[in-house]
Amino acid sequence: MSENNHFIKDIEIKKFKCFNSFKTGKFKRVNLIGGKNNIGKTAFMEAIYLYTSTSMTMAYQRLLILKTYRNMQEMLLSNDSDEDILKSLILENQDINIGIEKQGDRTNDDVGEEYISEGIFNIEKDKDDGLFSIRVKSEFVTINEGVYMHRDSDGDIEEEEEYYKTSSHKYSLSKLITFLHSNMSNAKYSTSKIFIGTNLNDNNLLEEIIGNLKLNNKYNSFNQHLNKLFKIENIDFINRKPMVKINNQYQNITTLGDGIRSIIFYLGSLLTLNDDYIFIDEIENGIHYSKLDDVWKLILTISKEQNVQVFATTHSKECIESYARVAKKLEDDNIGFISMYKNKENELKSITFDYESIQNRGELELDNR
Amino acid sequence: MIYFIVEGQTDKALIENILHTLGIDNDFKFAGLKGDGSVKRYIENLTDHELSENTYFAIIDADNSFSDSEKKLQKCIGDKKIYFFIFPDHKNSGELEDLILSSIDIDNKDEVIKCFNNYKQCIKDSINKDIENKHKLYAYTTLQHNQKPEEYIKTLDIKDNFEELKQKIKELFENLLYREDPT
């Protein structure tokens, strides 16, 4: 894929979490998202994460991952099954519509009325019969293709003929859940590597990252970076536990500080991606401010080499300053800063600053958060 | 929040002194402060959201031409709601330091100033270059008062001076009270 071809430039979000109708754009290769607490920075990034799904099931798989990641504690307490979670996801997001402008349709630099949205997916509930229909990229999803099989209460495999004889595009909630669950259950973590939240104890994710680094011949490069930054000689799973080798001795990764562990996740994920996207929530999480320049240097350099579009959120003024400083040092102008705010009518808005504005505002000490 | 966008520390010190003298205790901040040109750059980089959330008062020097400086500033401001004032008195050429020096009335009375004026004339005669009055003020405050200009200005008695600027600042706060736009 040639450089930047897959990069998202604009987005429109309707009825997703805190967004009723929200448009923004002018995205670059690396995009940092700021704004006050609880303004919707993470939800905004989640919407883009969902948009980059390539299928309905991947989109719902990602919704499940997001819900799991955001509500981990609550879910552990409730003991909800995946089916229960899917049910709540469908009911919560039945009007969801995340769209993108078609390439080349915009007639000026602003994201205006001519913005044409192409929904990634939406689910609608018919008011009369209470049945649901799903559309992906404006096309109705037919879920009766192929033979669908599931296990009955005794564990025997049985086919459900009636299920795929449905002639319309409308389904009951239970069938929708069964369909989605059957498609999602085998690959719960297969795409999770590109959405990095604050759960540093996700050993499944770390194991997958390290596995992918080995498969992609990036494992040595990964260890070299860690050695240069933290004198870590090696990181691997030993007896199913994540271990780091320092001074020729292995120790559990939990002995490292949160900042180093965050950087391990960012670096490992980025190195395995090509022509892809990465989403990092609260990028400064646990990282000492003196290491922020190293983090941005890694992200800006590797994302350029691997042609990866980066979306990250931050609360930190130091993190924004570091972002601007390192981009200037590397002469990398393919960066943006998306500032989210509420206007006087309490509507959610955003403004995207380009490289020049970021540098100017930094020098003038204008607060970008 | 009210922001005073100024060129440097001496402007900031004078505004602080005026606000104190007028008994105004509203919250305010200073911006720009990066020398000549930083006021215009600051204005150019303000977003609509920042303009709607805050009140801005820009202050620059007229330098060689009041009308040219006013035109350039107005062009930069455009239709943004920003109050402004041009030193020394919002009608003549010059700069803040002229205003300060005239207010303390020391020309040809103070020994440092007399020496500085001779030096200024000598440079003019020798290489035909003008020395800005900010250097004269610096010489005076550092040699006679052992203070940087901004420290000296901050505590200067200004009860009977700077009437134009005081009036403009009073208007700003009165307008804020009634939420009128700058004109």
Side-chain angles (χ1 to χ4, degrees), chain A residues 95-113:
Chain A
D95 292 323
I96 186 173
N97 188 351
I98 301 170
I100 192 167
E101 174 194 23
K102 284 179 184 167
Q103 296 279 329
D105 280 347
R106 207 169 59 190
T107 55
N108 58 41
D109 284 335
D110 295 313
V111 181
E113 288 306 310

Side-chain angles (χ1 to χ4, degrees), chain A residues 68-119:
Chain A
T68 311
Y69 141 68
R70 293 287 288 241
N71 303 300
M72 182 66 82
Q73 203 172 6
E74 181 190 316
M75 285 166 60
L76 284 172
L77 290 172
S78 72
N79 256 339
D80 281 352
S81 66
D82 282 356
E83 284 89 343
D84 291 333
I85 299 166
L86 271 172
K87 186 177 176 182
S88 70
L89 280 172
I90 291 167
L91 293 174
E92 279 169 21
N93 294 291
Q94 57 187 270
D95 292 323
I96 186 173
N97 188 351
I98 301 170
I100 192 167
E101 174 194 23
K102 284 179 184 167
Q103 296 279 329
D105 280 347
R106 207 169 59 190
T107 55
N108 58 41
D109 284 335
D110 295 313
V111 181
E113 288 306 310
E114 59 272 63
Y115 188 93
I116 296 168
S117 80
E118 182 187 334

